[in-house]
Amino acid sequence: MPSTLDIEAEALQLLEWGRLGQQLAQFAGSVLGQKLCEAIPLAPNLEEARRRLEETAEILGLDGLLEGGLSFVGVADTTDTVQLCLKGGCSDGEALLQLANTLAAARRLRRQIDDPLLRPVSTALLVGLRTLPELEQQLRFALEEGGRVADRASSALEALRRQLAAQRLERQRRLQELIRRWAAQLQDNVVSQRHNRPVLAVKASAVGQIQGQVHDSSASGSTLFIEPQAVVALGNRIAELEGQERQEERRVLLNLSKAVGAEADGLAALQNCLARLDLALARARYSAWLGAVKPELGSQHWQLLELRHPLLVWQERQEGGAPVVPVSLQIEPNLRVVAITGPNTGGKTVTLKSLGLATLMARAGLFLPCQGTAKLPWCAAVLADIGDEQSLQQNLSTFSGHVKRIARILTAITNLQSAANGGLAPALVLLDEVGAGTDPSEGSALATALLQQLAATVQLSVATTHFGELKALKYNDPRFENASVEFNEASLRPTYRLLWGIPGRSNALAVARRLGLPEPVLQAAETMLENQGASSVNSVIFGLEEQRQRQQEAAEEAAALLMRAELLHEELQQRWQQQQQIKIEQQGLARDQLVGSIREGQKEVRQLIKRLRRGDAGGEDARQAGQRLKVLEAAHRGQIAPPPVKGWLPQVGDRVRLLSLGKAAEVLAIGDGGNSLQLRCGVLRLTVPLDGIEGLHGEKPVAPPPAPAATPATVVKSNAASSSPRTSNNSVDVRGMRVHEAEAVVEEHLRRCRGTLWVVHGVGTGRLKRGLRSWLEGLNYVDKVCDANQDEGGPGCSVVWLR
């Protein structure tokens, strides 16, 4: 029986996962990365998938920061070279030089990526990575550009090449001399090559005059190519030296190959690391090209807003395809089955594939082409039954093919449940046209039973259908939800938009009319539907669609109104800021004018004083100057503040200005017959006399008339609290101090105080108050200590009476 991996591989094929891998490979920087991208390995667990997503995010950030981005130039697939060297073979110089370039590129990439603080996940890939600089240096010392073995690689090789150069130069000199001597017998004065031997083009009629070996002739036979006897010995010597050179080069290459084979394990690990880094870079660049967002994997629900099918995005941008219509999916944790209905060619199958690909992409470490924050649960498998499974070779009909595939899916779900200890299988099941291909009544019953089974065993199943019975499951089972693809009745075309909460109509007759089916056939079909009562169900669905459309229009109007309100608010805010700026500028201008007027007045007064001293001015001049100063003062004072209001008395809740601090405060209580006020200024609470405040517009308070004589009991109570008015001179605030610090401060005030001292210590835990009371009661010059009146601080203030 096929395993779970088999049915998963089949689902990957149905979702065109391999095609996405081919597109991803185009963003890789090396052959190693391209091979890995085409496979797109899936993470085996949630932790690994999250690590890959974080790795993609880190590489994407680094690629954008570096000038020109991360580069894999120089990285080559050296697997075959390393295997050949490991088995004792001799690699050629070009392959060994590619290996040296790969080591250099790996060292450069490690320097760019290695940062445990900024890129901990990507840096972890480099742990244990060896770039083998000694091996690289050995290879570069022995090899030149193009893979040629350098003279410095071997003293014997250097000597052989010197001899070869001398012999070739001597042969060339002799050939040039023979050309000058035999110019009349030669067809031309060029030295040619035949069978790797130098030859001269001799006329056939003069062949007897020249001694040498004939190596070839022209097609007409009029020219013979002869190697002169004078250079044959030199040619033999050169061939001998070339053979020795090749042997020495092979010896050097064999030694280098042995050095590579000794580091086979390290080189294999290096290749694996470079391939994974290139895969991460390809994921990052492909995600950026898609305009994708990093998903939150492991959520309890699905949230994919404006999701676009990645293969259709590629088709639109690279192949000039139609614009991609996105779909939004928000599936709550309690839902287990979503039934998507609607007309054919409406986008139901594309929605299935988009959801399946998004789940696989997140598992592979790819970002998702959607908007906002993408959230989706962990799915250990994506199982799909999409398309026609008809097979003539296996003698299977469409229905039989679907049933066999669904049977394999159910077997795989059972295996996943066993791995999950009997809970819901962490899988996504996608079913296209579930129950189709057989009798509608039997197919509908089979599809209903199948979806109910999946609701009890799988995390989420999404199915497309035309069966009306499946549309009603939502109303009997809270685990089911309906969705539909929208159809435009006016244009008789689908809009490819996904609608949630209501079922959709198949609109088969409308689609058939658009495709050109004769009208009499369509009218007959409509009559049959009315007789069967199917039109009532369609009318209910049509009513739901109209209601949804009205709600959508109302929501769009509300959104537009909100946008206009926000724009209006922003405009008003800008106007207010402009008015404030103008006000500040006008105040500055008035201030400048005032300063200028004062300076002019001062200048005039100084001139007047000088004139008075000289006797040039009289009293009338002084009087006129004084009048001008008074007018100036009155004019500018009228701009600064309004005249004070006489007879003003603050009330509880009023805002006043505290003169000692120059700040606004709120009146909390009025005490001492209206002569003292308890204020709150920011976080401070304090009691001040009436003459210590003024109105916000400069109003001066007027003391209230004296209160009528109090009863004896009242007088005793008032005198018990204080015998003299409380001022800043006979008050001390020790809040926040330790007991011994407060004792020193209070003792200093007691020495200067005459009569009564108010000590503000606050309530808090009471430790400061108890410590001070215990200390004060032990002093021989303290008569008594008691709480202050409620309007003077109450339990948070102690009144100390001196003897």
Side-chain angles (χ1 to χ4, degrees):
M1 180 175 291
S3 65
T4 303
L5 294 177
D6 295 334
I7 191 63
E8 286 188 72
E10 191 173 343
L12 295 180
Q13 183 179 1
L14 292 173
L15 294 173
E16 299 180 274
W17 184 242
R19 183 180 167 197
L20 189 141
Q22 294 173 0
Q23 296 176 1
L24 177 64
Q26 299 193 29
F27 291 88
S30 67
V31 177
L32 287 172
Q34 290 175 359
K35 291 180 179 179
L36 203 55
C37 287
E38 290 175 354
I40 320 185
L42 297 172
N45 50 56
L46 175 60
E47 291 72 19
E48 175 63 17
R50 287 175 172 171
R51 190 199 66 77
R52 293 186 186 181
L53 288 171
E54 191 60 34
E55 182 181 276
T56 303
E58 291 180 359
I59 295 296
L60 179 60
L62 178 61
D63 189 49
L65 289 176
L66 294 175
E67 183 70 24
L70 281 171
S71 174
F72 276 75
V73 173
V75 175
D77 186 0
T78 61
T79 305
D80 295 339
T81 302
V82 173
Q83 289 297 319
L84 175 63
C85 296
L86 180 62
K87 295 177 180 179
C90 180
S91 178
D92 61 85
E94 186 175 359
L96 292 175
L97 192 59
Q98 286 182 350
L99 178 59
N101 293 335
T102 301
L103 293 174
R107 188 169 61 256
R108 183 189 68 247
L109 288 168
R110 183 172 64 180
R111 286 197 305 267
Q112 293 175 334
I113 296 173
D114 194 358
D115 191 336
L117 295 179
L118 295 178
R119 292 175 289 276
V121 178
S122 303
T123 302
L125 285 176
L126 306 174
V127 175
L129 177 65
R130 298 172 57 216
T131 55
L132 306 173
E134 298 84 1
L135 177 61
E136 179 193 351
Q137 184 177 5
Q138 183 180 357
L139 294 174
R140 292 196 180 281
F141 177 80
L143 300 172
E144 294 178 345
E145 192 69 27
R148 179 177 180 271
V149 179
D151 293 350
R152 59 180 176 270
S154 167
S155 57
L157 180 62
E158 184 178 7
L160 285 171
R161 286 180 174 172
R162 280 201 302 267
Q163 294 180 39
L164 267 172
Q167 295 292 327
R168 287 169 179 162
L169 184 60
E170 176 62 20
R171 185 173 64 176
Q172 185 67 21
R173 186 189 63 79
R174 291 187 183 183
L175 287 171
Q176 292 299 327
E177 183 180 348
L178 292 174
I179 289 174
R180 286 193 299 272
R181 185 187 307 170
W182 298 340
Q185 288 81 19
L186 300 179
Q187 293 284 7
D188 54 42
N189 57 359
V190 176
V191 178
S192 303
Q193 290 283 336
R194 291 294 188 273
H195 308 115
N196 201 27
R197 305 287 285 195
V199 294
L200 299 177
V202 181
K203 297 176 181 178
S205 58
V207 68
Q209 303 175 21
I210 298 177
Q211 294 181 355
Q213 296 181 3
V214 179
H215 288 279
D216 199 359
S217 63
S218 64
S220 62
S222 60
T223 303
L224 297 177
F225 295 96
I226 299 175
E227 179 183 8
Q229 189 66 35
V231 297
V232 170
L234 281 174
N236 295 337
R237 177 58 179 165
I238 290 173
E240 180 183 355
L241 290 174
E242 287 176 345
Q244 294 177 10
E245 179 190 25
R246 288 192 294 270
Q247 291 178 0
E248 186 61 20
E249 288 178 347
R250 178 174 176 80
R251 187 187 66 80
V252 173
L253 293 174
L254 190 60
N255 291 336
L256 295 176
S257 300
K258 289 180 180 179
V260 171
E263 299 291 350
D265 293 339
L267 291 171
L270 177 72
Q271 290 272 287
N272 182 46
C273 179
L274 290 175
R276 292 171 62 187
L277 285 175
D278 198 7
L279 173 61
L281 179 62
R283 294 199 307 260
R285 290 178 174 174
Y286 181 57
S287 299
W289 181 83
L290 282 175
V293 298
K294 180 183 177 182
E296 292 183 8
L297 193 58
S299 174
Q300 296 298 319
H301 66 287
W302 303 74
Q303 178 177 298
L304 300 171
L305 305 179
E306 301 294 314
L307 174 65
R308 295 167 294 154
H309 194 294
L311 301 183
L312 294 182
V313 174
W314 182 279
Q315 184 175 338
E316 174 189 355
R317 297 183 183 179
Q318 301 295 109
E319 303 172 6
V324 180
V325 180
V327 296
S328 295
L329 299 100
Q330 288 183 295
I331 305 173
E332 298 303 322
N334 62 309
L335 294 179
R336 295 287 174 263
V337 177
V338 176
I340 302 178
T341 53
N344 292 322
T345 69
K348 299 190 299 296
T349 304
V350 171
T351 300
L352 287 184
K353 291 186 175 182
S354 299
L355 178 59
L357 283 177
T359 305
L360 293 171
M361 290 171 69
R363 184 177 166 189
L366 284 162
F367 292 179
L368 304 185
C370 57
Q371 301 294 328
T373 302
K375 299 180 181 180
L376 63 166
W378 163 252
C379 290
V382 175
L383 310 174
D385 176 32
I386 300 175
D388 190 357
E389 187 64 7
Q390 185 177 15
S391 173
L392 297 178
Q393 289 79 11
Q394 299 181 15
N395 195 24
L396 294 176
S397 64
T398 299
F399 178 74
S400 301
H402 282 298
V403 170
K404 288 182 68 67
R405 184 181 288 164
I406 290 174
R408 296 196 299 272
I409 290 176
L410 294 177
T411 302
I413 291 173
T414 303
N415 297 335
L416 290 172
Q417 276 190 293
S418 301
N421 298 324
L424 289 173
L428 171 65
V429 178
L430 306 173
L431 303 176
D432 190 23
E433 300 295 348
V434 58
T438 186
D439 179 76
S441 58
E442 294 182 357
S444 175
L446 181 61
T448 301
L450 174 61
L451 293 182
Q452 289 176 343
Q453 171 70 15
L454 292 175
T457 56
V458 181
Q459 186 171 5
L460 179 66
S461 301
V462 183
T464 66
T465 183
H466 290 283
F467 292 136
E469 292 79 2
L470 300 185
K471 304 175 185 178
L473 291 175
K474 167 189 174 179
Y475 307 103
N476 299 321
D477 193 332
R479 299 174 300 175
F480 285 75
E481 180 57 279
N482 283 330
S484 60
V485 287
E486 191 178 42
F487 188 82
N488 191 322
E489 292 285 347
S491 63
L492 300 180
R493 294 180 179 273
T495 64
Y496 305 107
R497 295 174 54 194
L498 189 65
L499 309 177
W500 286 87
I502 59 173
R505 294 175 293 160
S506 296
N507 291 297
L509 299 183
V511 173
R513 180 173 282 109
R514 178 172 63 89
L515 295 177
L517 202 63
E519 191 62 29
V521 177
L522 296 173
Q523 292 177 357
E526 290 174 351
T527 303
M528 294 180 184
L529 284 176
E530 292 177 358
N531 296 334
Q532 295 173 1
S535 59
S536 60
V537 177
N538 288 333
S539 63
V540 172
I541 297 177
F542 181 73
L544 291 174
E545 291 177 351
E546 286 189 336
Q547 181 181 2
R548 183 205 56 78
Q549 184 66 26
R550 288 194 299 270
Q551 291 175 349
Q552 182 176 354
E553 292 174 355
E556 291 175 353
E557 291 178 359
L561 181 61
L562 177 60
M563 183 179 297
R564 288 196 297 270
E566 290 176 348
L567 292 175
L568 179 60
H569 177 268
E570 184 177 353
E571 183 180 355
L572 293 175
Q573 186 75 11
Q574 291 177 353
R575 289 186 179 180
W576 179 82
Q577 292 176 354
Q578 293 173 357
Q579 293 294 333
Q580 291 297 108
Q581 185 66 26
I582 293 174
K583 182 178 179 181
I584 293 173
E585 293 175 356
Q586 290 177 347
Q587 290 178 350
L589 181 62
R591 217 169 18 247
D592 294 341
Q593 293 175 351
L594 176 60
V595 171
S597 300
I598 291 174
R599 290 177 178 174
E600 291 178 359
Q602 290 174 344
K603 180 179 179 182
E604 186 174 351
V605 169
R606 284 194 299 269
Q607 292 176 354
L608 179 61
I609 291 173
K610 291 179 181 179
R611 293 175 60 190
L612 288 172
R613 287 177 178 174
R614 293 196 309 265
D616 296 341
E620 181 61 24
D621 294 331
R623 188 187 66 79
Q624 291 178 0
Q627 289 293 334
R628 284 195 296 273
L629 289 176
K630 288 182 179 180
V631 171
L632 178 64
E633 178 185 7
H636 287 286
R637 181 167 295 176
Q639 295 176 2
I640 295 173
V645 180
K646 298 182 179 180
W648 172 73
L649 185 64
Q651 302 296 324
V652 175
D654 288 352
R655 301 279 293 177
V656 298
R657 179 177 291 105
L658 182 60
L659 296 178
S660 59
L661 298 179
K663 294 185 177 181
E666 181 184 357
V667 179
L668 298 179
I670 303 176
D672 195 14
N675 291 315
S676 65
L677 304 174
Q678 185 176 357
L679 305 178
R680 178 173 61 196
C681 181
V683 297
L684 298 178
R685 290 176 178 264
L686 62 164
T687 302
V688 298
L690 186 62
D691 57 0
I693 62 101
E694 68 177 10
L696 296 180
H697 298 290
E699 304 94 332
K700 299 298 181 182
V702 177
T711 61
T714 304
V715 173
V716 170
K717 181 178 179 182
S718 176
N719 291 338
S722 63
S723 60
S724 61
R726 178 181 176 185
T727 65
S728 59
N729 294 327
N730 60 7
S731 300
V732 57
D733 190 348
V734 296
R735 288 177 291 182
M737 299 183 184
R738 298 180 180 272
V739 175
H740 68 276
E741 295 173 345
E743 289 176 358
V745 175
V746 173
E747 184 177 13
E748 183 179 353
H749 280 75
L750 287 175
R751 290 174 181 172
R752 301 196 307 263
C753 184
R754 296 292 183 269
T756 309
L757 178 67
W758 277 262
V759 181
V760 181
H761 45 66
V763 179
T765 61
R767 183 179 301 174
L768 179 59
K769 178 178 179 180
R770 291 193 299 271
L772 285 174
R773 289 284 183 92
S774 175
W775 171 71
L776 288 169
E777 290 171 358
L779 299 177
N780 54 9
Y781 54 88
V782 174
D783 185 13
K784 63 178 179 179
V785 183
C786 63
D787 290 343
N789 290 337
Q790 189 63 34
D791 58 350
E792 293 179 344
C797 180
S798 295
V799 184
V800 182
W801 299 74
L802 303 180
R803 296 184 187 277

